[in-house]
Amino acid sequence: MAMLWKFMRIAKYSKPALSPKGKVRGIPTQSRHSSSKSVPSDFAANTPCSSTVELLGKSYPQDDYSNVTEKILSKVGKNLHNKKHHPLWLIKEQVKDHFYKQYIGRRGTPLFSVYDGLSPVVTVQQNFDSLLIPQNHATRRKEDNYYLNRDHMLRAHTSAHQWDLIRSGLDAFLAVGDVYRRDTIDNTHYPVFHQIEGVRLFSCHELFSSIEDSEGLQLFEQGHRTAHKQECHTMEAVRLVEFNLKQVLTKLMTHIFGDGLQVRWVDCYFPFTHPSFEMEINFQGEWLEVLGCGVMEQQLVNSAGAQDKIGWAFGLGLERLAMILYDIPDIRLFWSEDERFLKQFIVPHIWQKIKFQPLSRYPPLINDISFWLPSETYSENDFYDLARTVGGDLIEKIVLLDEFTHPQTKKVSHCYRIMYRHPERTLTQDEVHRIHQAIEESAVRELGVEGRF
């Protein structure tokens, strides 16, 4: 339930190998972000010679919608949330432990089931259509998502599994996994991150069982849609679902961060929940958004075969929680294989308090890049993706410094500032110069920009 693009992004560069049969875990030569021989070999993405991607044992033909890069595909299957003693695993296990112990079913077993091994490759129907996201909705754009082709993509949220899990007969579950979105580059945003999706459905009896004089209370009516409820829901049902949802999430955050935690709720909009809210917590004097949630759209619930039930859904980012709880300053560190980072999270039990001890803070190297934009459509995410493919995790941050329109030609120029910093060692100026030059050359070749270098 992790729309609308407000959760942690993260990726780590690694270099995939070419398959001798011409099929690779990567992108075809016609992709706009493939790199040429002029890019230094230590940082270039390999360019395949096939129009088919082989991923997780399946082959996907490329088409005009394909935009996923080898760098991103190299992250598929890493499953950091299932890597024991990894900080993301610790957070996932804490959430699981809380739900298992707090919510018990009629037979004495945990009410919520957990699914943390679902494939990140989903259909467009699963990722958007099943969630009632309109065809023209901005969140479907190629600029914001990684498409294998017109029909398949890397999931942009764990909500892509909601419909299927409900359809299978589940009415209380958590879905955990890696998700993929094209975005800006800084210490809290990267294109691969991890989410937990929670869903709970209630029958009429389950929802009203604790209410005195509940006879006559109903889940549904033929009413009107307002800011506070859907047209098919009674106000009594919505209020109880909303109360249960907020109570569940407040208990979860308090359990993770400790007693005395301040929580507030902000109204927002998600396409597949109504009403919708974002939770913010006050941590060390600062209000921080940690998740989004809401009452599920009844049309979604009905289409999945649960017509007689009403429910809620939430989505939270594991990186967000881990960065707050452990005081981790840079999202790239989650992909680190440095023992100085990883050994800090080898603890005897999942609730062990951990205060991250920073690795040596290496100095940044800063370079700017300016170019005239092409006449056709240009997306900043195209440039970020290209820079990320060439520079990998050596790029800490990219900021658009200046946008200039020539008074006569009306051509538009962008100037970006790129901050290079390795999280584990000192970079040399010569090393950064080679990367930066490769980014300049690739931007001209792949994006059609006119350099002002």
Side-chain angles (χ1 to χ4, degrees):
M1 220 297 301
M3 304 277 281
L4 288 171
W5 322 132
K6 290 187 176 180
F7 298 92
M8 296 300 90
R9 284 79 161 163
I10 177 167
K12 173 179 179 293
Y13 175 75
S14 66
K15 186 177 178 181
L18 289 174
S19 165
K21 295 183 179 181
K23 290 184 179 180
V24 300
R25 299 177 72 246
I27 52 178
T29 52
Q30 64 265 35
S31 171
R32 65 190 307 180
H33 286 168
S34 58
S35 302
S36 77
K37 295 180 181 179
S38 64
V39 180
S41 60
D42 287 346
F43 308 103
N46 289 322
T47 303
C49 55
S50 170
S51 60
T52 301
V53 169
E54 186 172 311
L55 184 61
L56 301 178
K58 295 183 179 181
S59 296
Y60 300 91
Q62 302 289 301
D63 58 27
D64 60 326
Y65 244 64
S66 306
N67 67 349
V68 67
T69 64
E70 287 189 30
K71 175 178 168 53
I72 298 302
L73 289 174
S74 70
K75 308 298 172 276
V76 177
K78 297 292 185 182
N79 297 325
L80 298 183
H81 60 288
N82 289 334
K83 185 177 179 181
K84 193 171 183 179
H85 295 301
H86 191 279
L88 298 180
W89 175 84
L90 288 174
I91 291 290
K92 181 198 74 172
E93 291 299 311
Q94 288 181 22
V95 175
K96 282 174 53 180
D97 184 66
H98 173 75
F99 272 88
Y100 280 170
K101 293 178 178 177
Q102 187 73 30
Y103 307 102
I104 305 299
R106 287 174 294 181
R107 298 180 181 177
T109 56
L111 179 65
F112 284 80
S113 51
V114 178
Y115 299 85
D116 58 10
L118 299 170
S119 173
V121 179
V122 298
T123 64
V124 173
Q125 194 279 334
Q126 288 175 299
N127 200 80
F128 295 122
D129 298 336
S130 71
L131 299 173
L132 313 178
I133 298 175
Q135 290 288 334
N136 60 351
H137 199 276
T139 54
R140 291 178 178 255
R141 298 185 308 171
K142 288 174 61 177
E143 290 83 354
D144 295 323
N145 299 284
Y146 286 106
Y147 286 92
L148 295 174
N149 52 42
R150 283 185 171 270
D151 298 321
H152 294 86
M153 63 187 297
L154 297 177
R155 63 188 169 205
H157 42 213
T158 44
S159 305
H161 304 291
Q162 270 188 18
W163 192 94
D164 293 319
L165 292 174
I166 295 173
R167 185 70 175 178
S168 71
L170 298 174
D171 55 14
F173 59 83
L174 303 175
V176 193
D178 45 337
V179 299
Y180 301 77
R181 298 179 193 160
R182 303 178 77 200
D183 209 336
T184 55
I185 300 176
D186 58 34
N187 69 326
T188 60
H189 292 81
Y190 246 62
V192 188
F193 56 108
H194 299 77
Q195 288 180 345
I196 287 187
E197 184 88 6
V199 169
R200 175 74 195 277
L201 302 181
F202 301 87
S203 67
C204 185
H205 172 72
E206 290 170 326
L207 189 61
F208 296 126
S209 61
S210 61
I211 305 298
E212 294 184 9
D213 301 323
S214 61
E215 187 177 350
L217 293 179
Q218 300 293 324
L219 297 179
F220 306 111
E221 68 174 9
Q222 296 298 320
H224 300 283
R225 191 179 187 93
T226 71
H228 306 289
K229 77 177 192 71
Q230 299 171 41
E231 57 271 27
C232 57
H233 292 158
T234 64
M235 183 57 75
E236 295 83 4
V238 171
R239 289 304 188 200
L240 283 174
V241 171
E242 181 182 325
F243 175 78
N244 181 268
L245 170 60
K246 291 182 176 180
Q247 187 180 50
V248 165
L249 294 174
T250 300
K251 285 182 179 179
L252 173 63
M253 291 300 115
T254 301
H255 202 65
I256 292 176
F257 292 101
D259 293 331
L261 182 73
Q262 291 180 284
V263 172
R264 71 182 184 189
W265 300 92
V266 180
D267 292 344
C268 65
Y269 167 75
F270 298 124
F272 44 96
T273 57
H274 179 77
S276 304
F277 313 95
E278 289 175 350
M279 173 190 261
E280 295 180 348
I281 65 171
N282 192 298
F283 191 76
Q284 298 180 349
E286 182 180 359
W287 285 102
L288 301 169
E289 175 216 328
V290 292
L291 56 83
C293 60
V295 180
M296 296 185 70
E297 284 286 347
Q298 197 61 38
Q299 183 181 342
L300 188 164
V301 176
N302 291 348
S303 68
Q307 295 91 338
D308 58 343
K309 295 183 178 181
I310 183 176
W312 51 247
F314 72 81
L316 59 87
L318 294 184
E319 282 84 358
R320 163 63 83 180
L321 295 184
M323 292 181 80
I324 297 172
L325 183 61
Y326 302 133
D327 199 19
I328 298 175
D330 193 327
I331 202 166
R332 295 175 299 167
L333 284 168
F334 288 106
W335 294 88
S336 175
E337 297 181 358
D338 191 323
E339 284 301 315
R340 293 174 300 167
F341 174 76
L342 295 174
K343 70 181 181 181
Q344 297 186 42
F345 301 94
I346 300 177
V347 289
H349 59 84
I350 60 174
W351 295 103
Q352 174 78 42
K353 290 189 178 298
I354 302 171
K355 174 70 173 179
F356 172 66
Q357 299 301 314
L359 310 180
S360 298
R361 190 61 169 169
Y362 300 101
L365 293 175
I366 297 173
N367 287 262
D368 294 346
I369 180 172
S370 299
F371 46 75
W372 296 105
L373 305 189
S375 56
E376 61 268 19
T377 301
Y378 167 85
S379 167
E380 288 182 32
N381 281 347
D382 287 340
F383 175 68
Y384 297 144
D385 225 26
L386 180 145
R388 192 181 282 122
T389 296
V390 177
D393 274 355
L394 301 186
I395 298 177
E396 180 177 77
K397 188 176 184 179
I398 299 181
V399 178
L400 177 60
L401 277 185
D402 180 64
E403 182 172 344
F404 167 73
T405 301
H406 195 283
Q408 273 128 19
T409 65
K410 304 303 179 184
K411 292 175 66 175
V412 178
S413 171
H414 277 189
C415 177
Y416 296 91
R417 173 154 293 173
I418 304 180
M419 180 181 293
Y420 299 88
R421 188 195 325 245
H422 198 291
E424 299 163 5
R425 64 178 176 84
T426 299
L427 292 173
T428 66
Q429 185 61 58
D430 181 64
E431 184 179 11
V432 168
H433 175 73
R434 290 189 294 112
I435 303 169
H436 196 75
Q437 186 177 26
I439 292 174
E440 292 175 340
E441 295 172 359
S442 294
V444 172
R445 182 177 60 255
E446 307 297 342
L447 302 182
V449 304
E450 182 183 341
R452 303 180 68 189
F453 327 129

